[in-house]
Amino acid sequence: MPVWLQSIAALLCIGSSFAIRSRTPSYVTSRKATSLDSAINGTQPSSNNASSLNETRIFCSGTSFGWDLRITSCLDALFQFDSTQDVANFGSRDRGSFDVPLPARSLSGENKALLKLLSACADKVEADGNCALTIDISGAVVDQASWKDIRSAADELIFNCVTRAQPSEGGLATSLGRHRHLSITVTAYTPHVRCDRPRGFAPQDCGEICHDVGLTSYKVKLLHEGAGPGDLTVPYVVQPALQDCIYTVDVAGAEDWESTYHIWEAMVALDDMCARFGEVGTAYGLGPLQYSH
């Protein structure tokens, strides 16, 4: 049985869409002004960590990464990054065990405290899933960076592409890490997720399970009967030891196909939009037949 099946989670499916508009992509370099992260936390960027913002390049393109991102959504995704200043090993999840298996992703949800801080609080804020931040690596298996510099680079990316651009758009920050192999993207996202709040269900962090999923671009066959090598017999249920998170993969029809990468995206959406607020959830519409759950 494929390794990734050992840690798959929650009634899955997701869909994403990008509004394609005509606009010339823009390149910017890291600004020197105080960042949103620094302004909110009362700190200034440090130049002594494993990575530096001096050589970071930022590329904004709504055509490539999506349009109409909301600043509060992107800041909520940013605030889910590790809050320490520790230096960590960021490495490809299919090539070994690292502090941060890549790609790593956070998705926007409900953050009333942040909205109050920004004087934009609403009585009821939905977990919108509008904005995704993804850390990845290219040209190497592993690189080192401090979480402080990762947050600062993501903040720069949000400032240039989401806050300053009109209309707001997604983008890419490159040349991060000690050896410049890390990157961060901010993308518009349209999840198909339903969250429900059952009685007695406490907020959960199910993200560790998402970290263990091996990601592939090819599609796995999901079916109820007659699964062959590499196929997945559904429903497939996992409840990791010492955790209250229960994850299930299923299909509404006889069979369907989907890549483990898209299943992983759905897992992150369920964790960031539902579980961390004490809710259970369903992500739906995965697979070309849209039968996966």
Side-chain angles (χ1 to χ4, degrees):
M1 180 177 292
V3 173
W4 68 272
L5 296 183
Q6 299 175 10
S7 39
I8 264 221
L11 281 176
L12 298 174
C13 14
I14 204 85
S16 61
S17 61
F18 299 98
I20 305 301
R21 306 181 187 179
S22 176
R23 176 169 175 170
T24 303
S26 57
Y27 289 89
V28 298
T29 55
S30 178
R31 62 190 170 93
K32 300 299 182 180
T34 302
S35 66
L36 287 170
D37 189 44
S38 301
I40 292 174
N41 294 298
T43 60
Q44 294 293 331
S46 170
S47 59
N48 298 320
N49 293 314
S51 63
S52 170
L53 298 180
N54 293 337
E55 299 178 19
T56 300
R57 286 182 58 81
I58 294 175
F59 168 72
C60 301
S61 172
T63 300
S64 299
F65 303 105
W67 302 89
D68 299 323
L69 288 81
R70 290 186 282 273
I71 179 61
T72 52
S73 298
C74 292
L75 287 178
D76 180 59
L78 172 60
F79 283 12
Q80 293 180 63
F81 280 8
D82 192 303
S83 60
T84 69
Q85 300 187 31
D86 297 345
V87 174
N89 289 317
F90 294 74
S92 178
R93 64 176 62 213
D94 61 349
R95 300 291 296 276
S97 179
F98 305 101
D99 298 330
V100 184
L102 300 179
R105 183 179 177 94
S106 66
L107 195 67
S108 59
E110 182 181 32
N111 196 326
K112 293 182 179 179
L114 172 61
L115 293 179
K116 287 180 180 178
L117 180 64
L118 298 177
S119 300
C121 185
D123 291 336
K124 175 60 179 176
V125 182
E126 298 295 334
D128 60 5
N130 167 258
C131 184
L133 286 172
T134 305
I135 309 170
D136 213 341
I137 191 168
S138 62
V141 173
V142 62
D143 203 347
Q144 287 186 326
S146 72
W147 272 110
K148 181 178 178 64
D149 280 347
I150 291 293
R151 290 194 308 273
S152 295
D155 177 25
E156 297 288 332
L157 179 63
I158 293 169
F159 173 80
N160 283 286
C161 299
V162 180
T163 305
R164 191 167 68 175
Q166 296 296 326
S168 61
E169 57 188 339
L172 168 70
T174 63
S175 300
L176 305 174
R178 184 183 298 275
H179 302 292
R180 307 295 169 189
H181 291 296
L182 301 178
S183 65
I184 303 174
T185 56
V186 58
T187 55
Y189 196 66
T190 306
H192 298 288
V193 172
R194 290 191 299 264
C195 299
D196 298 295
R197 187 182 298 275
R199 181 176 300 177
F201 186 78
Q204 304 290 327
D205 181 3
C206 304
E208 288 297 322
I209 301 169
C210 299
H211 293 168
D212 294 335
V213 177
L215 305 184
T216 61
S217 58
Y218 63 83
K219 293 186 176 182
V220 176
K221 190 174 184 179
L222 305 97
L223 67 171
H224 288 281
E225 297 179 348
D231 296 339
L232 173 62
T233 299
V234 294
Y236 188 83
V237 181
V238 173
Q239 183 175 13
L242 304 179
Q243 288 198 22
D244 293 329
C245 303
I246 301 176
Y247 300 94
T248 306
V249 182
D250 204 351
V251 296
E255 62 182 41
D256 211 334
W257 301 264
E258 191 49 88
S259 69
T260 57
Y261 188 91
H262 287 158
I263 290 175
W264 168 75
E265 286 185 325
M267 293 170 63
V268 174
L270 287 167
D271 181 39
D272 289 351
M273 295 177 64
C274 304
R276 71 181 174 116
F277 303 117
E279 298 177 340
V280 298
T282 301
Y284 56 94
L286 204 66
L289 301 180
Q290 298 191 358
Y291 286 157
S292 302
H293 293 72

